[in-house]
Amino acid sequence: MSVTVIVGAQWGDEGKGKVVDMLTEGADVVARYGGGANAGHTLVVGGRKTVIRLVPSGILQPRPLCVLGPGMVIDPQVLRDELSSLAKLGVDTSAKRVLISENAHVVMPYHVLLDQLREAGRHAIGTTKRGIGPAYEDKVGRRGVRMGDLLDEETLRGRLSAALDAWSPTFASLASEVPPMEPIVQSYLEHGRALTSLIGDATGRLQDAVERDEIIVAEGAQGSLLDIDHGTYPFVTSSTVLASGAATGLGIGPTAIRAVVGITKAYATRVGAGPFPTELHDDVGERIRQRGGEFGSVTGRPRRCGWLDLVALRHAARLNGMSEMIMTKADVLEGLDVIRVCVAYEIDGVRSSRVPGRDLARVKPVFEELPGFSTPLGACRDAAALPQTVRRIVELAEQHTGVPVRWLSVGPEREQSVRLS
Ligand code: GDP
Ligand code: IMO
Ligand code: MG
């Protein structure tokens, strides 16, 4: 058993990129199993910030093979831009380091357009407008284009024609034209030619890696509460975010998974619409937003900020079968007078430790209140030197989930982490 899954335990942007970068120094393979360029994973190494959306976050380490798995939806233009930015930084982006699954689905220009048109209408949910929903709709509708199809003109034409036919009434209902097929064929064949050396049998490679007991890290995108089945539907993304998605999204068996590491901030954020019980609408929320730099790395949107929600975290721990956790951004809470942690919900006056299947918007959070702290944490590397309040937040998270917190991240840099257990 050689696979460790890293999964977001909240609504995304928990710091997965930093953690994956930090944990993959000795890894052989790092693989993304779902989502697409809706993700924005930030790595800060030696003072330099790199935001990546499609390539796995192990790319700045010297060794691991970075696999874009079959469960992903890939916008080839975004990928090519990302690869060339990485190459400009001196990163090897050849087939030695990057492998794109031939079975990953392709995000087409009409997916992006449909996402944008829908988001301009009255059923908007605040997506990242990267075409993710429509691309997954084509996938389950069995008319999607896959990365391998970009290498075969006949298949590409067949799939495109099926997809454009299927979307035609939707375009009409959105008062828009179906985009002409020929320019898409030409530009996507060109994408195929440009990426051909990187496209291959990623599933076979991953299965070999499992068999050889290589060290494999599966990198989740988004967060558990955005999962298509178990998130705050319909305010969710369109893929399986949870650790179980690593098995289907990569083509390995669940028995290959050794550990599931949930990433949570010491507070909570959410981008886009949907229920958020512990959301702050006051200057404390604004202070956290500013100090935590809580602005979307993909869209630049201000992230909604609130207190850590241990009912939701327990739910995420159970949904993922988490074996350990890493808590990030504890440093951001420094200087607040009071820090709150949600330890239960009240629903119609009844206290509960469960996330309701529906109506999350109706719950009232019950808080434990902790004194603020004024020690800057950025330089701290010793658990014993952490303020009492920070240790209490970790202890509460462990008590409510039954899952140990292994590391506390105290800054965006690779080295800014404190080993807890
Ligand atoms: P991801 O999508 O889960 O990879 O997270 P993002 O990269 O979208 O957002 C996390 C942000 O917090 C990034 O700007 C990181 O550089 C930053 N970050 C990660 N860990 C810490 C931390 O412990 N403290 C602080 N202050 N920033 C952090
Ligand atoms: P990372 O990997 C935060 C949210 C969007 C929206 C919903 C649906 O950086 O944590 P979509 O474009 O996927 O159809 O949007 O999901 N969302 C994210 N929020 N971080 C992400 O990724 C997200 N990916 C999608 O804001 O609410
Ligand atoms: Mg992000």
Side-chain angles (χ1 to χ4, degrees):
M1 294 202 294
S2 53
V3 181
T4 299
V5 185
I6 312 275
V7 66
Q10 299 171 304
W11 282 280
D13 303 324
E14 297 90 348
K16 298 175 293 293
K18 167 181 167 158
V19 169
V20 170
D21 169 67
M22 177 181 117
L23 295 183
T24 49
E25 196 181 345
D28 298 297
V29 182
V30 188
R32 271 272 306 264
Y33 58 85
N38 48 350
H41 296 177
T42 312
L43 318 180
V44 184
V45 182
R48 193 179 65 197
K49 178 169 155 177
T50 310
V51 179
I52 45 183
R53 291 156 60 180
L54 291 166
V55 176
S57 300
I59 192 72
L60 297 189
Q61 293 287 359
R63 219 169 67 82
L65 176 70
C66 292
V67 177
L68 288 84
M72 290 184 72
V73 288
I74 298 173
D75 184 324
Q77 187 60 59
V78 175
L79 178 58
R80 287 175 66 187
D81 292 346
E82 193 165 299
L83 290 170
S84 57
S85 304
L86 286 165
K88 278 194 201 122
L89 299 175
V91 177
D92 180 1
T93 54
S94 73
K96 263 195 252 154
R97 292 294 315 279
V98 180
L99 173 59
I100 305 164
S101 170
E102 60 201 353
N103 290 346
H105 277 252
V106 181
V107 174
M108 288 287 175
Y110 46 86
H111 295 140
V112 178
L113 181 60
L114 286 160
D115 201 357
Q116 287 168 348
L117 289 168
R118 285 171 173 172
E119 283 294 302
R122 63 197 169 96
H123 302 300
I125 63 153
T127 74
T128 59
K129 299 185 196 165
R130 304 292 150 166
I132 304 299
Y136 278 116
E137 286 175 59
D138 271 352
K139 171 179 170 169
V140 298
R142 295 171 295 200
R143 52 178 182 263
V145 175
R146 304 201 287 183
M147 288 303 290
D149 301 334
L150 302 184
L151 310 177
D152 173 2
E153 182 165 349
E154 202 179 323
T155 313
L156 177 60
R157 281 184 187 281
R159 290 286 160 77
L160 270 174
S161 123
L164 290 173
D165 283 354
W167 286 116
S168 164
T170 310
F171 273 109
S173 77
L174 293 165
S176 183
E177 303 269 304
V178 179
M181 184 165 123
E182 203 48 39
I184 303 179
V185 172
Q186 294 314 321
S187 66
Y188 278 68
L189 285 173
E190 202 272 315
H191 287 316
R193 285 192 292 275
L195 294 168
T196 183
S197 65
L198 305 182
I199 299 174
D201 177 14
T203 300
R205 174 68 182 82
L206 286 159
Q207 290 170 343
D208 288 347
V210 168
E211 227 162 67
R212 292 197 290 255
D213 228 13
E214 290 180 18
I215 300 172
I216 303 163
V217 173
E219 176 179 0
Q222 291 77 53
S224 301
L225 298 166
L226 293 172
D227 181 81
I228 182 70
D229 290 297
H230 301 282
T232 50
Y233 195 86
F235 304 101
V236 293
T237 191
S238 300
S239 61
T240 297
V241 170
L242 300 178
S244 38
T248 45
L250 298 178
I252 54 170
T255 47
I257 297 172
R258 181 183 64 82
V260 176
V261 184
I263 316 300
T264 175
K265 290 182 196 181
Y267 51 95
T269 62
R270 171 163 209 170
V271 211
F276 182 5
T278 62
E279 183 169 11
L280 286 160
H281 297 281
D282 57 9
D283 54 348
V284 177
E286 186 54 35
R287 194 190 152 99
I288 293 175
R289 184 173 305 116
Q290 294 302 332
R291 271 189 62 93
E294 297 298 356
F295 297 88
S297 36
V298 174
T299 55
R301 290 180 289 177
R303 295 175 182 153
R304 300 157 65 192
C305 296
W307 299 117
L308 179 60
D309 181 341
L310 295 180
V311 181
L313 187 62
R314 172 172 176 264
H315 189 52
R318 286 154 53 116
L319 286 170
N320 286 290
M322 275 179 207
S323 53
E324 50 208 277
M325 290 192 289
I326 295 181
M327 187 178 283
T328 60
K329 305 194 87 161
D331 55 300
V332 173
L333 299 177
E334 182 228 314
L336 295 174
D337 295 334
V338 179
I339 293 165
R340 293 192 173 86
V341 177
C342 167
V343 292
Y345 289 161
E346 238 179 56
I347 308 170
D348 300 328
V350 180
R351 201 174 157 121
S352 165
S353 58
R354 274 176 190 271
V355 170
R358 298 186 295 130
D359 285 350
L360 184 59
R362 276 180 51 228
V363 309
K364 285 209 184 77
V366 178
F367 290 110
E368 177 164 324
E369 207 167 277
L370 305 168
F373 61 93
S374 55
T375 332
L377 300 184
C380 182
R381 301 290 177 270
D382 175 11
L386 291 168
Q388 178 56 33
T389 288
V390 174
R391 279 188 277 162
R392 178 68 184 151
I393 297 171
V394 170
E395 185 182 81
L396 281 169
E398 292 183 330
Q399 276 171 5
H400 280 256
T401 58
V403 179
V405 178
R406 296 279 184 227
W407 290 89
L408 187 75
S409 170
V410 291
E413 279 274 353
R414 195 184 264 172
E415 291 75 29
Q416 288 182 294
S417 302
V418 181
R419 176 97 212 181
L420 299 180
S421 60

